[in-house]
Amino acid sequence: MKKTYIMIAALSCGMMLTSCGPNTKTIKRMQALEEGVSSPTTVEELKTAIEKYQNRVEDIILADQQTGIWYKMLGSRYLDNEMYGKALDAFRMATEYYPANPNLYYYVAVCAGFMSKQALDYGATGSTAQKFNYLKLAESAYLRSLELDPRYARSLYGLGVLYVNELEEPEKAIPYLETLLTIEKRHTDGMFALRNAYYSTYDFDKALEISDRIIETTTSPEKKAQAEADKKTILEQAYAQ
């Protein structure tokens, strides 16, 4: 009896899988039954059907919007706790709900930058591919952020620093950092990054101009002292050329 019952149950499950699998017609019938809308023909029936399904769509959109917000909140919490891999995953999911939000791509870039530091060569293979991939992800995320908002200051600064300090392409950093300083004229960290970019591309005159600008702008004694020391180094290098 027990074997017979198992065989009957298995046959029943097989029939359900083959005959009741998800298909468009079945889904439409289920939705029609759920909403109480079958085959509207009159004007009033059509208006009622539209209203019911419209409300359903609005509910789904509202739920998706909230889900996107929760992913962003989750990513921010992970980021605060320096859990950069999980934060990166959460912000990536948030971009699926809000693909035109430059702020989310900024955070993707920040997390990818941190993950590049974690991408050590544990197998001692001599490969830096994983680190490079994270850096290129950061670059693409910053660029997407700026594509959506060309004046997004945090992404302008982040991309500039990435090019100067990590990817060693200082010439690419210059236009972004110059744009940043037209938006935030007292952004001293941006000035330091631009000064480094000019110095690395041997444009010593502009590097000196930025050093003077830092000295005139900053209220921080430490930053002023750093700018003055850097200016001395730039002058020595310029005279040596």
Side-chain angles (χ1 to χ4, degrees):
M1 288 294 292
K2 184 176 181 180
K3 289 182 179 179
T4 303
Y5 175 77
I6 292 172
M7 290 177 65
I8 292 171
L11 287 171
S12 299
C13 290
M15 291 175 65
M16 288 176 67
L17 289 171
T18 55
S19 63
C20 299
N23 60 71
T24 304
K25 289 182 179 180
T26 301
I27 291 170
K28 285 183 177 178
R29 284 198 297 269
M30 290 174 66
Q31 287 178 336
L33 287 171
E34 185 177 341
E35 297 295 343
V37 177
S38 181
S39 299
T41 54
T42 67
V43 172
E44 290 303 319
E45 287 175 342
L46 287 166
K47 286 182 177 180
T48 300
I50 290 170
E51 182 180 355
K52 287 184 176 181
Y53 279 107
Q54 186 173 9
N55 290 337
R56 186 182 186 91
V57 168
E58 288 173 355
D59 287 342
I60 293 171
I61 291 172
L62 182 62
D64 283 345
Q65 289 174 338
Q66 190 60 55
T67 301
I69 291 170
W70 284 335
Y71 271 119
K72 181 181 178 181
M73 293 171 62
L74 180 62
S76 298
R77 188 64 60 85
Y78 279 137
L79 187 58
D80 290 342
N81 286 278
E82 300 181 356
M83 301 170 71
Y84 303 119
K86 290 184 177 294
L88 179 58
D89 290 339
F91 286 124
R92 179 185 62 80
M93 287 301 301
T95 64
E96 293 190 12
Y97 291 91
Y98 292 99
N101 187 323
N103 191 42
L104 292 176
Y105 292 101
Y106 165 78
Y107 281 118
V108 168
V110 168
C111 292
F114 278 117
M115 289 302 293
S116 74
K117 305 291 186 184
Q118 175 270 338
L120 303 178
D121 184 17
Y122 289 105
T125 62
S127 173
T128 58
Q130 187 180 28
K131 177 179 181 178
F132 182 74
N133 288 341
Y134 275 122
L135 292 175
K136 295 302 285 185
L137 172 58
E139 178 189 22
S140 64
Y142 280 132
L143 289 172
R144 177 56 179 157
S145 175
L146 292 170
E147 183 181 350
L148 293 167
D149 183 359
R151 294 176 61 82
Y152 192 73
R154 290 195 291 180
S155 289
L156 288 167
Y157 174 69
L159 184 58
V161 170
L162 181 71
Y163 280 138
V164 174
N165 295 345
E166 302 296 339
L167 293 175
E168 297 182 357
E169 298 177 295
E171 68 284 351
K172 289 186 177 181
I174 291 171
Y176 295 105
L177 294 170
E178 287 178 337
T179 300
L180 169 66
L181 295 179
T182 66
I183 298 166
E184 296 191 8
K185 301 182 186 299
R186 301 181 65 84
H187 198 303
T188 52
D189 288 338
M191 293 179 200
F192 275 110
L194 182 57
R195 191 277 320 281
N196 291 341
Y198 284 143
Y199 181 78
S200 298
T201 55
Y202 303 99
D203 194 339
F204 300 125
D205 288 339
K206 288 186 177 179
L208 288 170
E209 289 177 12
I210 292 296
S211 295
D212 287 335
R213 186 172 170 182
I214 295 170
I215 294 167
E216 294 170 3
T217 301
T218 187
T219 58
S220 166
E222 293 80 9
K223 289 184 177 180
K224 183 170 291 189
Q226 182 64 54
E228 289 172 345
D230 291 341
K231 183 177 178 180
K232 182 179 179 180
T233 301
I234 295 166
L235 285 169
E236 291 174 353
Q237 185 67 27
Y239 289 138
Q241 293 296 311

